[in-house]
Amino acid sequence: TAIEAGNLPLAGRHVLITSGPTHEPIDPVRYIANRSSGKQGHALAKAAFEAGARVTLVSGPVTLPDPANVNVIHVESASAMLAAVESNLPADIAIMAAAVADWRVASEGTQKIKKDGSGRPPALELTENPDILATIGHHGSLRPKLLIGFAAETQNLIDNARGKLERKKADWIVANDVSPETGIMGGDANTVRLVSRTGVEDWPELDKTEVARRIIERAAEALAVK
Ligand code: CTP
Ligand code: CA
């Protein structure tokens, strides 16, 4: 029957997803992070399982419970996220929904940085983190058949998304406007635009679980004709 696992659209497929923020330590008590609830990435993992896939979810620190029936790997930093992603390839579909911190402190302190009484803050030297999406986009034979990134922007949404599509060699970028007035950050709804090499599709405002279901449905269709 149609509900047997073998007939689900992603049966036999491996889907690899990143979700949540990363935390980049400054010293033992402080970190740099992006804002991210992990709701969209975790919803994608659930939707992929429900479509019949074997799912690996590499998650930064979030307060959400682990989705059921998913192999969840918990990481803190971008470097650890990249290592977990690479060690879980190959994948048929990879969806990089994590809000990865762009920078980390060049040399993490082993002791808590103390105020020195001068009133002057410490100078933190930052260094750029590896780009996980771009790294696996350029992976050659280990590149997933379908590679999907996100782009959270506050301006020039489509231009920025197209630039990321090309630079990172993704197939699709799920672009969303995260200007504070949209209220998207941390909420349950998302208004996204699906940017591919063939055009831009505007989706209506939907619950993040419904955005996830539609992305997975579209991904399964795209994979079936690849
Ligand atoms: N991404 C990633 N690793 C990074 C940074 C970003 O995998 N170090 C992924 C995100 O998970 C997302 C996509 O790349 O799928 C776009 O992330 P974004 O932060 O919008 O792109 P950046 O290239 O970091 O550009 P920006 O300067 O706009 O932050
Ligand atoms: Ca970034």
Side-chain angles (χ1 to χ4, degrees), residues 34 99-103 131 152 164 168:
N34 275 44
V100 182
D102 291 310
W103 304 282
D131 190 312
K164 286 172 187 174
K168 301 173 190 243

Side-chain angles (χ1 to χ4, degrees), residues 82-99:
L82 174 61
V85 164
E86 291 204 295
S87 65
N88 282 279
L89 292 172
D92 297 287
I93 301 171
I95 311 177
M96 306 288 97

